[in-house]
Coordinates of all heavy atoms in Angstrom, one line a residue:
E1 N 15.0 134.0 246.4 CA 15.8 133.5 245.4 C 15.0 132.6 244.4 O 15.2 132.7 243.2 CB 17.0 132.7 245.9 CG 18.0 132.2 244.9 CD 19.2 131.5 245.5 OE1 19.5 131.8 246.6 OE2 19.7 130.7 244.7
A2 N 14.1 131.8 245.0 CA 13.2 131.0 244.1 C 12.3 131.8 243.2 O 12.1 131.6 242.0 CB 12.4 130.1 245.0
A3 N 11.7 132.9 243.8 CA 10.8 133.8 243.0 C 11.6 134.5 242.0 O 11.1 134.6 240.8 CB 10.1 134.7 244.0
Y4 N 12.7 135.0 242.3 CA 13.6 135.7 241.3 C 14.0 134.7 240.2 O 13.9 135.0 239.0 CB 14.9 136.2 242.0 CG 15.9 136.7 241.0 CD1 15.7 138.0 240.4 CD2 17.0 136.0 240.7 CE1 16.6 138.4 239.5 CE2 18.0 136.5 239.8 CZ 17.8 137.7 239.2 OH 18.7 138.2 238.3
G5 N 14.4 133.5 240.6 CA 14.8 132.5 239.6 C 13.7 132.1 238.6 O 13.9 132.0 237.4
E6 N 12.4 132.0 239.1 CA 11.3 131.8 238.2 C 11.1 132.9 237.3 O 10.9 132.7 236.1 CB 10.0 131.6 239.1 CG 9.9 130.2 239.8 CD 8.7 130.1 240.6 OE1 7.6 130.7 240.2 OE2 8.7 129.4 241.7
R7 N 11.1 134.1 237.8 CA 10.9 135.3 236.9 C 11.9 135.4 235.8 O 11.7 135.7 234.7 CB 10.7 136.5 237.7 CG 9.5 136.6 238.5 CD 9.4 137.9 239.3 NE 8.1 137.9 240.0 CZ 7.7 138.9 240.8 NH1 8.5 139.9 241.0 NH2 6.6 138.9 241.4
I8 N 13.2 135.3 236.2 CA 14.3 135.5 235.3 C 14.3 134.4 234.3 O 14.6 134.6 233.1 CB 15.6 135.7 236.0 CG1 16.6 136.5 235.2 CG2 16.3 134.4 236.4 CD1 16.3 137.9 235.1
A9 N 14.0 133.2 234.6 CA 13.9 132.1 233.7 C 12.8 132.3 232.6 O 13.0 131.9 231.5 CB 13.7 130.7 234.4
K10 N 11.7 132.9 233.1 CA 10.6 133.2 232.1 C 11.0 134.3 231.2 O 10.7 134.3 230.0 CB 9.3 133.5 232.9 CG 8.7 132.3 233.5 CD 7.4 132.7 234.2 CE 6.8 131.5 234.9 NZ 5.6 132.0 235.7
S11 N 11.7 135.3 231.7 CA 12.0 136.5 230.9 C 13.2 136.3 230.0 O 13.3 136.9 229.0 CB 12.2 137.7 231.8 OG 13.3 137.6 232.6
L12 N 14.1 135.4 230.4 CA 15.3 135.1 229.6 C 15.5 133.6 229.5 O 16.4 132.9 230.0 CB 16.6 135.7 230.2 CG 16.6 137.2 230.3 CD1 17.7 137.7 231.2 CD2 16.8 137.8 228.9
P13 N 14.6 132.9 228.7 CA 14.6 131.5 228.5 C 15.8 131.0 227.7 O 16.4 131.8 226.9 CB 13.3 131.1 227.8 CG 13.0 132.4 227.0 CD 13.5 133.5 227.9
A14 N 16.2 129.8 227.8 CA 17.3 129.2 227.0 C 16.9 129.2 225.5 O 15.7 129.0 225.2 CB 17.6 127.8 227.5
E15 N 17.8 129.4 224.7 CA 17.6 129.3 223.2 C 17.6 127.8 222.8 O 17.8 126.9 223.7 CB 18.8 130.0 222.5 CG 19.0 131.4 222.8 CD 17.9 132.3 222.2 OE1 17.6 132.1 221.0 OE2 17.4 133.2 222.9
F16 N 17.3 127.5 221.6 CA 17.2 126.2 221.1 C 18.5 125.4 221.4 O 18.5 124.2 221.5 CB 16.8 126.1 219.6 CG 17.9 126.6 218.7 CD1 18.9 125.8 218.2 CD2 18.0 128.0 218.4 CE1 19.9 126.2 217.4 CE2 19.0 128.5 217.6 CZ 20.0 127.6 217.1
S17 N 19.6 126.1 221.4 CA 20.9 125.5 221.7 C 21.1 125.1 223.1 O 22.1 124.4 223.4 CB 22.0 126.4 221.2 OG 22.0 127.6 222.1
G18 N 20.2 125.6 224.0 CA 20.4 125.3 225.4 C 21.1 126.5 226.1 O 21.2 126.5 227.3
Q19 N 21.6 127.4 225.3 CA 22.3 128.6 225.9 C 21.3 129.7 226.2 O 20.3 129.8 225.5 CB 23.4 129.1 225.0 CG 24.5 128.1 224.7 CD 25.5 128.5 223.7 OE1 25.1 129.1 222.7 NE2 26.7 128.3 223.9
T20 N 21.6 130.5 227.2 CA 20.8 131.7 227.5 C 21.6 132.9 227.2 O 22.7 133.0 227.6 CB 20.4 131.6 229.0 OG1 19.7 130.4 229.3 CG2 19.5 132.8 229.4
L21 N 20.9 133.8 226.5 CA 21.6 135.1 226.1 C 21.2 136.2 227.0 O 20.0 136.5 227.2 CB 21.2 135.4 224.7 CG 21.5 134.4 223.6 CD1 21.0 134.8 222.2 CD2 22.9 134.0 223.6
F22 N 22.1 136.7 227.7 CA 21.9 137.7 228.8 C 22.5 139.0 228.4 O 23.8 139.2 228.4 CB 22.4 137.2 230.1 CG 22.2 138.2 231.2 CD1 21.0 138.8 231.5 CD2 23.3 138.4 232.1 CE1 20.9 139.7 232.6 CE2 23.2 139.3 233.2 CZ 21.9 139.9 233.4
P23 N 21.7 140.1 228.0 CA 22.3 141.4 227.7 C 22.8 142.1 229.0 O 22.1 142.1 230.0 CB 21.2 142.2 227.1 CG 19.9 141.5 227.5 CD 20.3 140.0 227.9
F24 N 24.1 142.5 228.9 CA 24.7 143.1 230.1 C 25.4 144.4 229.7 O 26.2 144.5 228.8 CB 25.8 142.1 230.6 CG 26.4 142.5 231.9 CD1 25.7 142.4 233.1 CD2 27.7 143.0 232.0 CE1 26.2 142.8 234.3 CE2 28.2 143.4 233.2 CZ 27.5 143.3 234.4
R25 N 24.9 145.5 230.4 CA 25.4 146.9 230.1 C 26.7 147.1 230.8 O 26.9 146.9 231.9 CB 24.3 147.8 230.5 CG 24.6 149.3 230.3 CD 23.5 150.1 230.8 NE 24.1 151.3 231.4 CZ 23.6 152.0 232.5 NH1 22.5 151.6 233.1 NH2 24.2 153.0 232.9
R26 N 27.6 147.8 230.0 CA 28.9 148.3 230.6 C 29.0 149.7 230.3 O 28.7 150.2 229.2 CB 30.1 147.5 230.0 CG 30.2 146.1 230.4 CD 30.8 146.0 231.8 NE 31.0 144.6 232.0 CZ 31.3 144.1 233.2 NH1 31.4 144.9 234.2 NH2 31.6 142.8 233.4
L27 N 29.6 150.4 231.2 CA 29.8 151.9 231.1 C 31.3 152.1 231.1 O 32.0 151.6 232.0 CB 29.1 152.6 232.2 CG 29.1 154.1 232.3 CD1 28.4 154.7 231.0 CD2 28.4 154.6 233.5
F28 N 31.8 152.9 230.2 CA 33.2 153.2 230.1 C 33.4 154.7 230.1 O 32.6 155.5 229.6 CB 33.8 152.7 228.8 CG 33.8 151.2 228.6 CD1 32.7 150.6 228.0 CD2 34.8 150.4 229.1 CE1 32.6 149.2 227.9 CE2 34.7 149.0 229.0 CZ 33.6 148.4 228.4
M29 N 34.5 155.1 230.8 CA 34.8 156.5 230.9 C 36.3 156.8 230.7 O 37.1 156.0 231.3 CB 34.4 157.0 232.3 CG 33.0 157.0 232.5 SD 32.6 157.3 234.2 CE 32.2 155.7 234.8
V30 N 36.7 157.8 230.0 CA 38.1 158.3 229.9 C 38.0 159.8 230.1 O 37.3 160.5 229.4 CB 38.7 158.0 228.5 CG1 40.1 158.5 228.4 CG2 38.7 156.5 228.3
A31 N 38.8 160.3 231.1 CA 38.8 161.7 231.4 C 40.2 162.2 231.4 O 41.1 161.5 231.9 CB 38.2 162.0 232.7
Q32 N 40.5 163.3 230.8 CA 41.8 164.0 230.8 C 41.7 165.1 231.8 O 40.9 166.0 231.8 CB 42.2 164.5 229.4 CG 42.3 163.4 228.4 CD 42.6 164.0 227.0 OE1 42.2 165.1 226.7 NE2 43.4 163.2 226.3
R33 N 42.7 165.1 232.7 CA 42.8 166.1 233.8 C 43.1 167.5 233.2 O 43.8 167.6 232.2 CB 43.9 165.7 234.8 CG 43.9 166.6 236.0 CD 45.0 166.2 236.9 NE 44.9 164.8 237.3 CZ 45.9 164.1 237.8 NH1 47.0 164.6 238.1 NH2 45.7 162.8 238.1
K34 N 42.5 168.5 233.7 CA 42.8 169.9 233.3 C 44.3 170.2 233.5 O 44.8 169.7 234.5 CB 41.9 170.9 234.0 CG 40.5 170.9 233.6 CD 39.8 172.0 234.4 CE 38.3 172.0 233.9 NZ 37.5 173.0 234.7
A35 N 44.9 170.9 232.6 CA 46.3 171.3 232.8 C 46.5 172.2 233.9 O 45.7 172.9 234.4 CB 46.8 171.9 231.5

């Protein structure tokens, strides 16, 4: 957890506002059943 925390803090540092911007992927699906 400590090693992960160090790496993630370096790769996604806080912005000047103190907030951290984290891009998060979402996948959406809509399927219509065959008649």
Side-chain angles (χ1 to χ4, degrees):
E1 189 176 331
Y4 171 77
E6 285 179 33
R7 288 182 179 177
I8 205 72
K10 285 180 185 173
S11 67
L12 294 167
E15 299 288 315
F16 69 91
S17 65
Q19 296 174 320
T20 301
L21 305 179
F22 179 47
F24 188 74
R25 179 181 142 213
R26 291 282 188 191
L27 183 62
F28 297 90
M29 293 170 260
V30 176
Q32 294 176 331
R33 188 180 306 165
K34 286 183 179 178

